[in-house]
Amino acid sequence: MLDIPSRVRVHVETLPAAQIDMGVCDAFEQYAPVGKPYTMNAPHPPKVAGIDSTVPAPAHTVAPAPAAPDAPAVLTDPGALLQDRLAGWVSDLTTLHELTERLVLTTTLPDALTELLRAGAALVGARRGLVVLEPGDGLGPATTVGLGLTRSDLGHLETVPRAALPHGTLLDTRAGLPGGVAEVVRADLFAEQGLHPRHRDVAARLGFAASYTRPLSTETAGRLGAVVWLYDEPAEPVERQRHLVGLYTRYATEHLARLLEVERTRACMATMAEELLPSRLPRVSGVELAVRHRTSPRGGGDWYDALPLPDAALGLTVGSVTGTGPSAVAAAGRLRASLRAYAVMEGEDPVAVLSDLELLLRLTEPARPATALFAYCEPALQRITLAGAGHSPPLLIGERRTAYVETSVSAPLGMLACWEAPSVEVQAAPGETVLLYTDGLLQRTGEPVDRAFARLHAAAAALPRATRRDPEAVADHVLRTVLPDGLDTADSAEDVVLLAVRFE
């Protein structure tokens, strides 16, 4: 009797001999007890730590050395063979567990595709490869990511007719669909009959002589694309490697499908938010405008607008509604559209504009407060009259001063039974810039409000003199200084709007 713990021994002893050759994960799913596998006496093959090295072949996959003709027959212990096979299954299962753990840590499509290429290359013993993402539903996104291949190399591969490439065969026919062809093996490209001449030329130029291709498709995810690994010399993966990489790619396809859905949702939210904002800023004599807008992945409710008004005036507004997601984006679009109408009718009185907006918000969306700032700008007089509802004060930036505009404290729209606050008049000098912004600029810093205000003031005060003449450069400098190290583009629940108005 083998020295195997009793919980494992019960299952091993009931293994039919015909099932000893079944796959690693299939066998353990049926016969291994739930929980962590017990340690066995037989020496295990070394585990694979990561994906930087190829998966070692366990002893049970190594062909026995041929015996000499006159050598006496040696009886092999069946128990030792079974224990060796079980040890190999444990090694394979450990390898898959480590690789899938690394894959599940990826949160973006590019990272997941790169990890898929690296792990698959380790499993099949290749050095380079590429993955072509082309969802079968045609909704995109479509992209190609290479491992050990530059953009120029990928460009050379694109010159080969698609039908001549193995992944083209899978993607353009039903072969790559769930239940279709599971793999395409080209063990020696230069010895292959009927290989397209351009394919032969590109293979020689890039230095690969064989390829192994698998579709990225499952019954639940559908067809997402195909992955190709390239060998420098004529070669092909053995049966065990194909089995392992097949299990891995099926799991990777499901993970990619989840990330693909997230990516599509983000793109849809960003598109919807941008479409509800001005497509371009107006050109008005006497002022220059620049804007920066960063949308959160979940979709936030920040908005801005610049609207030409009668008498060569300009209406400027920034604001934010509470919440995230499609409902917040839609609410911001409705408020912006309403504010434009009120600005045309009574824009010279910012208090009246915000009062009308507050009444509309209270009647139509009583459970969604909003902050807003509206400014009536007269470029010829270099004057701005503004009113704010729970909004951060504008920042005035000039050659000789950098200061926040003193506004009265007021509640956000929709918080009180009747909103009212006095307006403030700002007299700017030629060359000065008024900076309007939403609270997301301060909140993304992760600092207390007073320190965030101080950071914004310091960033504006440190503007180089030449930069002050260009509102685009002013907006970029402030955004980059207040939100360093990629905080302006990182995933965040807060939208950011920065509107710079420079008087000529």
Side-chain angles (χ1 to χ4, degrees):
M1 176 65 68
L2 293 176
D3 185 14
I4 300 177
S6 58
R7 291 180 59 188
V8 177
R9 185 184 305 136
V10 171
H11 297 279
V12 171
E13 290 174 350
T14 58
L15 258 172
Q19 293 178 329
I20 291 179
D21 292 327
M22 71 178 3
V24 50
C25 286
D26 299 333
F28 268 87
E29 185 174 355
Q30 284 194 18
Y31 298 108
V34 177
K36 184 175 180 181
Y38 280 70
T39 305
M40 301 181 184
N41 293 349
H44 289 206
K47 297 181 180 179
V48 174
I51 58 173
D52 296 328
S53 60
T54 58
V55 180
H60 73 284
T61 62
V62 179
D70 299 333
V74 179
L75 295 179
T76 304
D77 184 0
L81 291 177
L82 178 59
Q83 189 168 356
D84 179 64
R85 185 174 296 277
L86 290 175
W89 286 345
V90 171
S91 176
D92 290 347
L93 191 60
T94 302
T95 298
L96 288 175
H97 176 70
E98 292 172 352
L99 296 182
T100 52
E101 270 193 334
R102 293 187 59 167
L103 179 66
V104 81
L105 292 177
T106 58
T107 57
T108 64
L109 269 178
D111 291 344
L113 294 174
T114 301
E115 181 64 27
L116 164 64
L117 282 172
R118 290 175 178 171
L123 289 174
V124 302
R127 189 172 62 89
R128 293 179 292 174
L130 67 149
V131 56
V132 180
L133 184 67
E134 288 186 11
D137 56 14
L139 300 179
T143 185
T144 301
V145 177
L147 173 68
L149 298 172
T150 64
R151 296 183 66 88
S152 176
D153 296 337
L154 295 176
H156 284 300
L157 285 170
E158 290 177 356
T159 64
V160 181
R162 185 180 173 93
L165 294 170
H167 63 269
T169 303
L170 292 177
L171 295 178
D172 294 341
T173 65
R174 296 187 59 85
L177 296 175
V181 177
E183 60 185 13
V184 176
V185 181
R186 291 185 171 178
D188 190 347
L189 289 172
F190 299 103
E192 184 176 322
Q193 298 294 328
L195 185 67
H196 194 280
R198 182 57 186 165
H199 193 181
R200 190 185 307 276
D201 294 341
V202 170
R205 182 185 184 92
L206 300 184
F208 65 89
S211 65
Y212 177 68
T213 308
R214 292 196 66 94
L216 297 175
S217 64
T218 63
E219 293 292 341
T220 56
R223 190 191 68 192
L224 300 185
V227 58
V228 186
W229 289 284
L230 305 175
Y231 296 89
D232 297 341
E233 302 292 339
E236 62 179 292
V238 299
E239 185 62 30
R240 168 180 165 270
Q241 291 174 318
R242 295 181 187 180
H243 180 66
L244 290 179
V245 79
L247 295 173
Y248 180 78
T249 53
R250 285 200 292 274
Y251 180 86
T253 301
E254 297 291 342
H255 182 64
L256 290 174
R258 292 188 289 269
L259 293 180
L260 183 64
E261 189 64 28
V262 173
E263 187 73 17
R264 288 175 174 176
T265 302
R266 288 182 177 180
C268 181
M269 292 300 305
T271 301
M272 185 170 65
E274 293 299 329
E275 289 296 326
L276 292 174
L277 295 174
S279 58
R280 62 181 179 85
L281 295 175
R283 293 185 178 182
V284 178
S285 178
V287 294
E288 294 180 85
L289 303 175
V291 69
R292 297 293 181 269
H293 182 215
R294 300 291 185 266
T295 306
S296 69
R298 289 176 286 180
D302 288 15
W303 84 84
Y304 67 91
D305 204 353
L307 176 67
L309 297 176
D311 301 326
L314 183 66
L316 303 169
T317 179
V318 293
S320 175
V321 300
T322 58
T324 57
S327 62
V329 174
R334 290 192 294 269
L335 288 182
R336 171 180 166 267
S338 302
L339 192 145
R340 288 173 71 93
Y342 300 144
V344 170
M345 293 186 294
E346 46 193 2
E348 68 279 359
D349 186 357
V351 173
V353 172
L354 291 185
S355 295
D356 292 341
L357 189 65
E358 195 272 342
L359 178 60
L360 175 71
L361 183 68
R362 187 153 43 90
L363 293 176
T364 59
E365 300 186 58
R368 191 184 292 278
T371 65
L373 185 146
F374 179 77
Y376 181 75
C377 177
E378 300 171 274
L381 302 177
Q382 298 172 354
R383 183 172 62 194
I384 291 180
T385 305
L386 60 89
H391 207 80
S392 300
L395 182 62
L396 186 61
I397 306 170
E399 293 287 344
R400 299 182 179 180
R401 60 174 175 172
T402 300
Y404 287 104
V405 176
E406 292 187 7
T407 58
S408 59
V409 178
S410 59
L413 302 175
M415 294 291 291
L416 302 178
C418 181
W419 174 88
E420 187 175 355
S423 62
V424 176
E425 188 175 291
V426 179
Q427 187 64 50
E432 289 189 328
T433 300
V434 177
L435 198 64
L436 311 179
Y437 53 93
T438 57
D439 295 340
L441 178 65
L442 306 176
Q443 293 170 357
R444 279 203 185 195
T445 63
E447 298 178 337
V449 176
D450 55 342
R451 294 184 62 182
F453 273 117
R455 176 190 285 268
L456 175 58
H457 185 278
L463 275 166
R465 178 167 298 182
T467 304
R468 296 174 185 266
R469 303 189 184 99
D470 182 7
E472 298 281 351
V474 170
D476 286 334
H477 174 86
V478 170
L479 194 62
R480 185 172 57 251
T481 306
V482 175
L483 300 176
D485 303 325
L487 284 176
D488 61 325
T489 57
D491 288 353
S492 172
E494 302 295 336
D495 279 12
V496 175
V497 169
L498 199 64
L499 180 61
V501 185
R502 181 182 182 274
F503 290 92
E504 297 177 349

